[in-house]
Amino acid sequence: MQQGERSESGAPIYRYEEREVPFEVASGYEQTIDRVSAHVEQHIGAVASVYHEIISDLVHLDVHIVAPTAERNFYTLVTSGMSDLPMKAPEGYEDLAYSELMICLPADWKLGEDDLKDEGNYWPIRLLKQLARFPHEYQTWLWAMHTVPNGDPAEAYAPNTEFNGVMLMPPILASEAFYEMELSSEKVVHFHALIPMYSDEMEQKLKMGAESLFDGFDKVGVSELLDVSRPSVVKRKKGLFGFFRR
């Protein structure tokens, strides 16, 4: 991991090369799986199914699926296993070393076994698993407002989307009680939502900071509920008028 570079907004930029941590087979901690499942059911809804990893590297990652309901007419996907190991949090932030991730998908998203062979359906799950393993692969830390591009140069996650990066944010479509799960006095797990982003949004965040996107997010209704057809919130000028790029 290369450090020292900073964006125009003053935020640090980290560039990751080949991982130095060797492949290590991991098995899931039953306590983590059971507690995450109970936490999700208490604050989100009944867990309809769980995608289990067959062979796991460093941490065993499962994805808990809450099916659409009348109150929450969309799927909710939550990881368990990222918090089996602490992330390498900065000095002074050691109490924020444990996290899990979540994202929501439209009610008509195809999640059947055969459907997930299509990357256009599977990529949000792949993104959850990649980011959940990322801090353990590269001995780093992920937290709210951190952004991660899909490669360097960044590429679209799948043929059916132009999203090529992601930002972590507090969940918008869940109560604040969902944000944290206390496993012990020394281990509190924090839940972060994934917000897929376009290139121009990633660039603006680096230049002007995450806060520069918030008004646009509010206007367009950006949340952890994925909308692959939403417009970019970066306003481009054309003559005297502005427009939102699709």
Side-chain angles (χ1 to χ4, degrees):
M1 178 177 67
Q2 298 179 359
Q3 303 182 44
E5 188 177 354
R6 289 190 173 272
S7 68
E8 292 182 35
S9 69
I13 296 176
Y14 301 95
R15 298 190 184 276
Y16 300 90
E17 299 175 351
E18 292 292 329
R19 62 179 265 187
E20 298 180 359
V21 179
F23 183 97
E24 181 179 331
V25 176
S27 57
Y29 293 170
E30 288 297 327
Q31 182 194 39
T32 303
I33 297 170
D34 292 344
R35 289 293 299 273
V36 168
S37 183
H39 187 75
V40 170
E41 294 205 334
Q42 179 180 0
H43 299 291
I44 301 292
V47 174
S49 59
V50 180
Y51 292 129
H52 296 280
E53 282 191 331
I54 304 302
I55 299 178
S56 299
D57 178 19
L58 300 177
V59 289
H60 177 86
L61 294 172
D62 291 331
V63 179
H64 302 250
I65 312 294
V66 178
T69 63
E71 294 76 21
R72 293 174 59 88
N73 190 30
F74 45 81
Y75 289 99
T76 303
L77 284 63
V78 185
T79 66
S80 67
M82 181 182 182
S83 61
D84 281 347
L85 297 176
M87 297 180 287
K88 191 176 181 181
E91 185 177 353
Y93 294 89
E94 291 83 2
D95 58 331
L96 305 180
Y98 298 95
S99 290
E100 297 289 351
L101 306 176
M102 60 95 71
I103 195 170
C104 297
L105 302 177
D108 61 356
W109 198 274
K110 297 179 179 179
L111 290 174
E113 183 176 351
D114 289 337
D115 297 320
L116 294 179
K117 295 176 182 177
D118 181 345
E119 192 65 21
N121 297 320
Y122 183 66
W123 73 264
I125 299 175
R126 183 185 301 281
L127 180 59
L128 281 172
K129 291 161 67 72
Q130 285 178 337
L131 286 182
R133 187 167 280 116
F134 179 83
H136 306 303
E137 289 180 305
Y138 295 98
Q139 298 297 293
T140 188
W141 183 57
L142 289 178
W143 193 252
M145 310 311 163
H146 288 182
T147 49
V148 181
N150 186 36
D152 186 12
E155 299 180 352
Y157 290 116
N160 67 336
T161 182
E162 293 182 23
F163 291 131
N164 63 2
V166 66
M167 182 162 69
L168 277 65
M169 289 183 64
I172 296 172
L173 302 176
S175 68
E176 291 188 14
F178 174 70
Y179 292 7
E180 296 181 356
M181 178 181 69
E182 185 174 344
L183 292 181
S184 70
S185 60
E186 298 180 350
K187 183 175 181 179
V188 177
V189 178
H190 303 266
F191 291 82
H192 302 283
L194 301 187
I195 309 295
M197 294 168 61
Y198 296 110
S199 292
D200 53 3
E201 294 171 337
M202 296 282 286
E203 290 169 5
Q204 179 166 310
K205 189 265 185 180
L206 287 175
K207 291 179 180 179
M208 303 173 63
E211 294 81 3
S212 69
L213 296 168
F214 291 169
D215 284 347
F217 281 176
D218 287 342
K219 289 177 181 178
V220 177
V222 173
S223 72
E224 63 265 31
L225 177 54
L226 179 64
D227 178 359
V228 295
S229 63
R230 76 165 176 85
S232 167
V233 304
V234 175
K235 203 169 186 179
R236 299 290 183 89
K237 290 185 177 180
K238 185 178 182 182
L240 297 177
F241 302 95
F243 62 91
F244 285 108
R245 182 183 66 79
R246 290 298 293 256

